[in-house]
Amino acid sequence: MRLTTPALGLVVATAALGLTACGGPDTPYSDTDVAVAALASRIATDMPPAQARCTAKKLVAAAGVDTLTKAGMLTKDHVAQLTYQFDKTTANEIADATVACWDWRKNTESWASSYPTAQPQDWDSYVACAEKLDDKLHAAVVAANLKGGTAKPREAFAKAQLACRKVLGTPVG
């Protein structure tokens, strides 16, 4: 078919895209796939993308799309709503998934340039110390996502993490 006007071509292309993007029978993505992608894209603002995807996959596998939708984490159209105001069960599921996927060494990449004099053994020491903070990380993630959660667990986690960073020397900038 030859389209004689660009506008008609745009209408046809938009309609075709709409038919395939709305979850028709030819769409190869399940609700789970879409939920994981939506959550991972939002979570990636707080951690490296691979860890965000892992966290989203574990969260969706543990709770399920319907439960996450009922909790308000996803809209019925699978748009992620990370409002940080969830019930205790959902907040714990978020924390469980986060801790399971957390990679202490990988997480240093975003701030490693602040410690230009740190040697490889210093980074190893930091990671060894930080890996002992999983319980504090879990508590901080629960507090951050729990409706009415307090700052105390987040402050304790930040303080413990800073103590681990001492082996890296004084940060610059």
Side-chain angles (χ1 to χ4, degrees):
M1 168 167 95
R2 184 167 191 254
L3 301 175
T4 56
T5 64
L8 182 58
L10 182 60
V11 169
V12 171
T14 302
L17 179 61
L19 289 174
T20 59
C22 289
D26 294 332
T27 302
Y29 304 109
S30 68
D31 283 350
T32 298
D33 295 332
V34 175
V36 167
L39 289 168
S41 68
R42 293 295 302 264
I43 296 169
T45 62
D46 297 324
M47 65 179 65
Q51 289 178 52
R53 180 157 174 73
C54 173
T55 301
K57 284 176 81 171
K58 287 193 178 297
L59 183 56
V60 171
V65 174
D66 289 340
T67 299
L68 294 174
T69 302
K70 287 177 188 164
M73 189 174 291
L74 294 168
T75 67
K76 63 181 177 141
D77 296 322
H78 304 312
V79 174
Q81 301 285 318
L82 300 182
T83 61
Y84 309 108
Q85 295 293 307
F86 301 107
D87 61 52
K88 188 173 183 176
T89 300
T90 304
N92 271 297
E93 289 170 337
I94 295 167
D96 291 345
T98 300
V99 171
C101 295
W102 196 265
D103 181 332
W104 287 100
R105 189 169 302 275
K106 187 76 175 160
N107 281 309
T108 65
E109 291 176 4
S110 64
W111 50 267
S113 63
S114 296
Y115 297 92
T117 61
Q119 299 299 310
Q121 65 270 18
D122 299 329
W123 288 103
D124 292 342
S125 294
Y126 165 76
V127 170
C129 177
E131 285 176 336
K132 296 174 186 168
L133 302 179
D134 283 353
D135 288 344
K136 288 188 184 306
L137 171 62
H138 191 279
V141 172
V142 168
N145 287 286
L146 183 63
K147 185 174 186 167
T150 68
K152 191 173 181 178
R154 290 178 281 163
E155 291 166 355
F157 171 66
K159 183 178 178 181
Q161 192 176 22
L162 282 174
C164 288
R165 285 188 188 185
K166 285 184 180 182
V167 299
L168 301 174
T170 305
V172 296

